[in-house]
Amino acid sequence: MAHVRKQCITFFLTAKCNLNCRYCYARKNIKRLKIKPEHQTLNFNFAKRGLQDFFRDYPSRHIRFYGVGEPTIEFELMKKIKDYAYELAGEKLIVELQTNGYFSEKIREWIAKNVDILWLSIDGPPEIQDMHRPTLEGKASSKIVEKNLKFFAKQKHMQVGVRSTVSSFTIRRQIEIVEYFAKMGIKYVNAHPACVPIGGDSDPIFQWEPIEFAKEFLKAHNRAQELGVFYNSLYIANFDEKTRYACRACIPYPQLTTDGYVSCCDFATFGPKYMSASLQQLVYGKYIQEEDRIVYDEEKIFKIRSRCAENLEKGPCKNCKFVYYCAGGCLGQIVNETGNIMGIHKKNCKITKYLAERMELGKGLWPVLHS
């Protein structure tokens, strides 16, 4: 189903994390920008106001916990927001959490009882996980994460999936990664290559070739089908039906930042004090704490919504036969790397075209949506 079908409000709960992922663009930016302590945790009153506005303006009752850091670090805040959302939405409430899976049994039990959709950011077998995603102390994270993953794989009342980051070291191990998760009973795996941080990075982990990724992804996608697993990526997110917009960021659906702003994308994690001018194009609201209201910038909303298939078809995507099965791809990556809302991410474009030429398009809705 076209990614734009995913209508939700996202809470960036915290900028703090308990892992030190080698490729994490967010963590490197936090260190570089020296985020003030008071700007590292979401304000609860802001969260309440954002919920009220979202439930007023949209029929969806879907809330999502995410973070520049690890959302379960702010466990008590997450519980408060969920409880308040339930007061407003009742049984219609849908709760989604994206987490690194490195948490206690107490948190695990709460998640099992209160979360409907769970995405665990895990990169593969212990060898891969511990290379990619060590703890802050440089220790292995795989033991705790794998234990939690096995627990959730048994929870049939939840939709449980895995988000795997692929690096130059694992690009040819995608089939192995799929098989590892399939053995645990995981039915949904979403993969994406490691994104280069703002300003670039010479770490070889980011040195991967787009066509090599595409070839290996397609092999793994086909193997996953044999195993009854859906192996997905943002590159093929809209292959199941035509769409005007690449993703929910283009609508835009709100994402509340820890420093009091509303953005439309997981890439735009802070307001103007901390983020680049290019990514500030994706920030369209500000919380006025003294007045307990959010001021929305309608001009920015209009500009964000202008990134649609019709406009791309007239400009940078002219003559592309796949424009309505792509709609320009990931908005955040494009703005991060080109600075232009109407820009094109050349690597992503190569991957999408390669896969679109070799996969069936518009043949039935995908079973789940990630991100």
Side-chain angles (χ1 to χ4, degrees), residues 131-344:
M131 174 183 63
H132 278 180
R133 304 175 69 85
T135 67
L136 292 179
E137 298 79 23
K139 297 179 180 179
S141 63
S142 60
K143 185 176 181 180
I144 289 175
V145 169
E146 189 177 76
K147 183 179 180 181
N148 286 332
L149 177 63
K150 289 178 178 178
F151 171 84
F152 287 117
K154 298 175 182 177
Q155 308 306 310
K156 302 306 180 185
H157 64 289
M158 304 172 66
Q159 177 195 302
V160 179
V162 166
R163 165 59 160 85
S164 175
T165 296
V166 177
S167 75
S168 57
F169 305 123
T170 61
I171 199 167
R172 295 185 179 181
R173 299 178 68 178
Q174 293 182 67
I175 289 177
E176 175 190 347
I177 291 167
V178 166
E179 290 175 343
Y180 167 73
F181 291 127
K183 285 179 182 177
M184 292 192 189
I186 297 297
K187 297 297 183 183
Y188 311 116
V189 181
N190 198 85
H192 200 78
C195 298
V196 180
I198 299 169
D201 196 305
S202 59
D203 191 322
I205 203 167
F206 300 109
Q207 307 307 311
W208 51 271
E209 292 298 321
I211 296 304
E212 183 182 17
F213 172 83
K215 288 179 178 179
E216 298 300 324
F217 174 86
L218 186 57
K219 292 176 189 176
H221 177 81
N222 292 337
R223 175 58 178 148
Q225 285 185 313
E226 295 172 355
L227 296 170
V229 174
F230 178 51
Y231 191 53
N232 190 23
S233 175
L234 281 176
Y235 301 115
I236 69 166
N238 296 316
F239 281 11
D240 52 351
E241 67 173 338
K242 289 185 176 182
T243 181
R244 297 179 63 228
Y245 293 106
C247 70
R248 58 190 172 79
C250 302
I251 295 304
Y253 293 118
Q255 317 225 137
L256 309 189
T257 74
T258 56
D259 60 340
Y261 288 83
V262 182
S263 89
C264 68
C265 180
D266 289 349
F267 272 82
T269 51
F270 295 103
K273 183 177 177 65
Y274 300 115
M275 294 298 289
S276 67
S278 59
L279 283 171
Q280 287 309 305
Q281 295 176 89
L282 307 183
V283 175
Y284 65 93
K286 180 180 180 181
Y287 180 56
I288 310 300
Q289 188 167 352
E290 299 78 13
E291 303 173 16
D292 189 32
R293 69 186 181 99
I294 300 170
V295 177
Y296 298 96
D297 188 327
E298 296 298 331
E299 289 186 12
K300 278 194 171 182
I301 293 172
F302 178 82
K303 187 174 181 181
I304 291 166
R305 288 181 63 85
S306 72
R307 185 178 175 83
C308 59
E310 297 96 320
N311 290 336
L312 291 165
E313 192 175 27
K314 297 172 187 174
C317 300
K318 190 174 183 179
N319 299 323
C320 178
K321 60 184 177 180
F322 304 121
V323 64
Y324 283 92
Y325 287 104
C326 168
C330 177
L331 175 61
Q333 268 193 289
I334 286 151
V335 174
N336 182 34
E337 298 190 29
T338 72
N340 182 4
I341 281 181
M342 293 300 292
I344 294 296

Side-chain angles (χ1 to χ4, degrees), residues 50-66:
L51 266 172
Q52 292 169 20
D53 287 3
F54 180 70
F55 287 170
R56 176 196 66 203
D57 295 339
Y58 298 100
S60 170
R61 295 297 179 263
H62 186 155
I63 67 173
R64 173 178 177 254
F65 295 113
Y66 186 62

